[in-house]
Amino acid sequence: MSAQSKTVVLVHGGFVDGSGWRAVYDELAGDGFSVRVVQNPTKSLADDAATTRQILDDIEGEVVLVGHSYGGAVITEAGTHDKVTALVYITAFAPDKGESVNTLIGTFPQDGPQPPILAPVHGYLFLDRTKFHESFAHDLSTQDAAFLADSQVPWGLDALGGTVSEAAWRLKPSWYLRVTEDKMIPPTAQASMAERIGATVVETPGSHAIYVSRPDVVADIIRTAVGAA
């Protein structure tokens, strides 16, 4: 089976939607890959995993499943699907069985930059718009970062607190893009998660919005995973 016969499925994280994958999509589609983008409502981990599995059910053949940030928890839960042959974590959470995003956040160092998450309103979270550029997307232009800040998707507390029933990375080979200037998920935490899941690690400078700012780097690790899976 050729690499191009596999489908790449992209899963976004919290506070954003799937449109941020456009440049990565273009890179991969330009190489002849079939690419699908999951549009998760990020209300709960269970719902997002179900939405992702619905896309997987619709695909013929093998899939490489890619998750950014909170999307890492989603692919960990949904990636047990029998069509998934590899997982790619893009500066992402990688919980184990019984763990949640909140579980992992609780292990993060407290002496570094802290994400400017506002207090929940009606069960949902937002990032402080005035601090979004510096914390989430410091390597994007002011205009591009402002658009992401002003188009935020509410991130549900049930998404952060949802626990993984079975960790796909224990069953499937994994790759991890560690972003060394990320101010949302500390690089040390990324390294720890990548080591625990036995991932093949690639490092790059950049912000948490690396999939927007460096789509070529993100596409490259996905190509590697597709070719090796």
Side-chain angles (χ1 to χ4, degrees):
M1 180 177 288
S2 69
Q4 276 80 0
S5 67
K6 300 176 184 177
T7 300
V8 176
V9 175
L10 305 172
V11 181
H12 64 84
F15 305 119
V16 296
D17 67 11
S19 64
W21 286 114
R22 179 57 192 269
V24 174
Y25 175 97
D26 288 346
E27 285 260 351
L28 296 172
D31 287 343
F33 291 102
S34 176
V35 186
R36 298 286 294 275
V37 179
V38 181
Q39 289 285 17
N40 278 324
T42 65
K43 293 182 177 181
S44 74
L45 177 62
D47 286 349
D48 293 337
T51 300
T52 302
R53 289 191 189 101
Q54 185 176 14
I55 298 298
L56 298 174
D57 287 341
D58 188 51
I59 294 171
E60 293 186 8
E62 297 180 345
V63 172
V64 171
L65 192 54
V66 183
H68 169 256
S69 191
Y70 160 69
V74 178
I75 70 170
T76 298
E77 178 70 9
T80 56
H81 196 289
D82 58 8
K83 292 180 183 177
V84 175
T85 60
L87 306 166
V88 182
Y89 293 83
I90 307 299
T91 186
F93 294 97
D96 201 352
K97 179 179 179 179
E99 294 181 343
S100 65
V101 169
N102 273 338
T103 302
L104 296 176
I105 290 175
T107 68
F108 288 179
Q110 299 300 305
D111 56 352
Q114 300 300 310
I117 300 175
L118 300 173
V121 177
H122 304 306
Y124 293 94
L125 299 170
F126 287 93
L127 286 180
D128 185 335
R129 290 170 53 252
T130 65
K131 299 177 180 178
F132 191 101
H133 191 184
E134 178 59 23
S135 62
F136 194 100
H138 63 79
D139 56 352
L140 294 183
S141 69
T142 300
Q143 293 84 355
D144 287 344
F147 177 80
L148 290 177
D150 291 338
S151 62
Q152 285 184 67
V153 178
W155 194 14
L157 294 178
D158 288 342
L160 279 80
T163 57
V164 168
S165 61
E166 185 177 9
W169 51 261
R170 290 192 174 276
L171 308 171
K172 314 288 175 76
S174 301
W175 280 257
Y176 198 106
L177 183 62
R178 180 175 180 262
V179 181
T180 59
E181 298 166 351
D182 194 324
K183 298 179 183 179
M184 295 292 294
I185 300 180
T188 53
Q190 295 176 53
S192 177
M193 289 186 287
E195 180 179 9
R196 181 172 72 161
I197 71 176
T200 300
V201 179
V202 174
E203 293 191 356
T204 185
S207 74
H208 194 62
I210 193 71
Y211 64 108
V212 182
S213 63
R214 300 288 304 280
D216 55 330
V217 174
V218 174
D220 278 345
I221 191 173
I222 295 170
R223 292 184 188 103
T224 300
V226 170

